[in-house]
Amino acid sequence: MKKGLFITLEGTEGSGKSTQIAVIKAHMEAKGHKVVCLREPGGTPIAEEIRTLLKTPRKDDNMCDKTELLLMYAARAQLVETVIKPLLAQGTDVICDRHDLSTVAYQGGGRGMNMDDINAIRKVVLGDFRPDLTIVIDVDPKIGMQRARNRGELDRFELSQIDFFERVRNTYLEYAKHHPEFVKVVDGQKEILAVSKDVISCLDNLNA
């Protein structure tokens, strides 16, 4: 049985990932693929509880960066081992809203955590496992945060200062520059249909 494809969408807040995930799913299903969409953190009952811990603002107990990092990888380990790997082995394509590159960008770039520490934890949790394709939807953080505010109440990450998101964005772009074999950047400030066209182009190049 042919192994399924693992495709991840990345970007700062308000980049439009959810819209493009629906586009990718429809495109791949039209080609006869079986597709499952997931999100990080989340995707399993345990990981969804961790997601709530990570995203809920608290006044009584501020989460330290190390706790945030370890919770991210705890949720990721649960999702990858119990859901993603079995689906891929069955030939099902998996589209995930965020994956390990989010940790590089948010905890590494945004929080300024030591990348050697992050890489050591990644090695334990993921080994050599990585997506077949990662699409970074790039938007100016000021535009992205305005979109996020328009959606409603902000979560713990969205309440961060704009310079945090500038560091996140720069980390995404720098990482993509060094890993062009599987990370593609799409301009998320174009009209939605134009963004979708660019996203589909990344998919078709993957399948070529």
Side-chain angles (χ1 to χ4, degrees), residues 155-173:
D155 65 31
R156 191 176 71 87
F157 287 96
E158 292 167 343
L159 289 169
S160 302
Q161 298 298 313
I162 198 69
D163 60 339
F164 171 81
F165 294 110
E166 293 284 2
R167 293 192 298 273
V168 171
R169 181 194 191 189
N170 290 337
T171 304
Y172 273 133
L173 297 178

Side-chain angles (χ1 to χ4, degrees), residues 15 18 21 84 103-104 137 143 161 172 191 195 203:
S15 58
S18 299
I21 284 171
I84 294 178
T103 297
V104 174
I137 303 179
I143 294 172
Q161 298 298 313
Y172 273 133
E191 293 294 325
V195 177
L203 290 176

Side-chain angles (χ1 to χ4, degrees), residues 21-110:
I21 284 171
V23 169
I24 294 171
K25 184 174 188 289
H27 179 76
M28 297 180 77
E29 286 179 338
K31 291 190 170 187
H33 295 231
K34 185 176 180 181
V35 180
V36 170
C37 296
L38 299 167
R39 68 178 182 177
E40 283 204 19
T44 76
I46 290 173
E48 287 293 333
E49 289 187 32
I50 295 173
R51 180 186 181 90
T52 299
L53 281 173
L54 283 162
K55 293 180 80 71
T56 302
R58 300 177 65 100
K59 293 182 179 178
D60 59 336
D61 187 12
N62 289 328
M63 186 179 295
C64 76
D65 292 348
K66 289 180 180 178
T67 299
E68 180 179 281
L69 176 68
L70 292 170
L71 284 173
M72 284 291 185
Y73 272 111
R76 185 164 299 135
Q78 186 69 13
L79 181 63
V80 168
E81 294 301 322
T82 67
V83 179
I84 294 178
K85 285 184 176 179
L87 284 172
L88 296 176
Q90 295 164 16
T92 300
D93 294 339
V94 175
I95 307 168
C96 199
D97 184 344
R98 300 196 181 282
H99 185 56
D100 196 61
L101 184 50
S102 275
T103 297
V104 174
Y106 278 73
Q107 283 72 52

